[in-house]
Amino acid sequence: MNLIRRGATPLSTYRPGAMEDQFGRLVENMFQDFFAPLAQGRWSGDDVGMPRLDVSETEKTFEVKAELPGVKKDDVHVSIDGQRVTIEGECQQANEQREGEQVVYSERSTRKYQRSFTLPAEVDDASAEARLEDGVLMLSLPKKQGGTARQLTIQ
């Protein structure tokens, strides 16, 4: 058996920074979103839905719209950890029809929503805002003002 050691080729060592960041973020989000339910002890089956998102960016904020049909304001939880945003919600519905004192028909359903994603910049969670209207959660997430770049004086 012959072992051949191959050195790095110029093509494999060259990778533009912007492309690497986008691809790395895509892969990271894919794995985190896929394995997030396992980390919390449950699997994303019929009882856990992933709300659809619209994320737009302005100069100072990220604007997020998430569809959470049937979820009440008190049943929505949003957590922010640096660049990571997690949205959780639960919708409970009960249908009951009575004839006199006997229950003739009773049905209950519960639907959970969970979505976690990473933004390209850190979020200032102290001034973030959220509101729920007609089953759509709207988040206004200001970007954290990092240290501005300063120019060094050459001595």
Side-chain angles (χ1 to χ4, degrees), residues 5-52:
R5 183 178 205 145
R6 298 180 190 241
T9 65
L11 187 58
S12 66
T13 58
Y14 173 73
R15 232 184 153 146
M19 180 67 158
E20 186 177 59
D21 289 346
Q22 284 181 336
F23 182 73
R25 199 171 328 139
L26 174 72
V27 171
E28 176 188 352
N29 285 342
M30 181 180 67
F31 280 106
Q32 285 179 346
D33 290 343
F34 183 77
F35 289 112
L38 289 175
Q40 296 175 357
R42 61 179 185 254
W43 180 249
S44 178
D46 290 338
D47 62 340
V48 179
M50 190 176 279
R52 296 186 182 267

Side-chain angles (χ1 to χ4, degrees), residues 78-94:
V78 178
S79 62
I80 301 169
D81 183 16
Q83 294 174 259
R84 190 94 182 140
V85 178
T86 302
I87 299 171
E88 294 178 307
E90 186 172 356
C91 173
Q92 296 179 354
Q93 296 177 339

Side-chain angles (χ1 to χ4, degrees), residues 47-121:
D47 62 340
V48 179
M50 190 176 279
R52 296 186 182 267
L53 295 179
D54 292 331
V55 181
S56 57
E57 181 179 10
T58 65
E59 190 174 313
K60 296 183 179 184
T61 64
F62 294 104
E63 301 295 328
V64 179
K65 290 182 183 179
E67 295 178 5
L68 299 170
V71 178
K72 295 178 182 158
K73 181 175 77 169
D74 295 334
D75 296 331
V76 176
H77 304 283
V78 178
S79 62
I80 301 169
D81 183 16
Q83 294 174 259
R84 190 94 182 140
V85 178
T86 302
I87 299 171
E88 294 178 307
E90 186 172 356
C91 173
Q92 296 179 354
Q93 296 177 339
N95 297 327
E96 188 173 297
Q97 296 177 357
R98 293 183 176 260
E99 279 186 21
E101 292 298 318
Q102 292 181 329
V103 175
V104 175
Y105 173 81
S106 179
E107 185 174 84
R108 289 166 296 287
S109 65
T110 300
R111 178 91 172 150
K112 294 181 182 181
Y113 296 95
Q114 180 181 7
R115 184 77 184 256
S116 199
F117 54 95
T118 304
L119 295 169

Side-chain angles (χ1 to χ4, degrees), residues 62-64 78 80 123-132 137-142:
F62 294 104
E63 301 295 328
V64 179
V78 178
I80 301 169
V123 174
D124 182 9
D125 56 347
S127 57
E129 297 177 358
R131 66 182 194 277
L132 183 68
L137 175 68
M138 291 173 269
L139 303 174
S140 180
L141 307 172

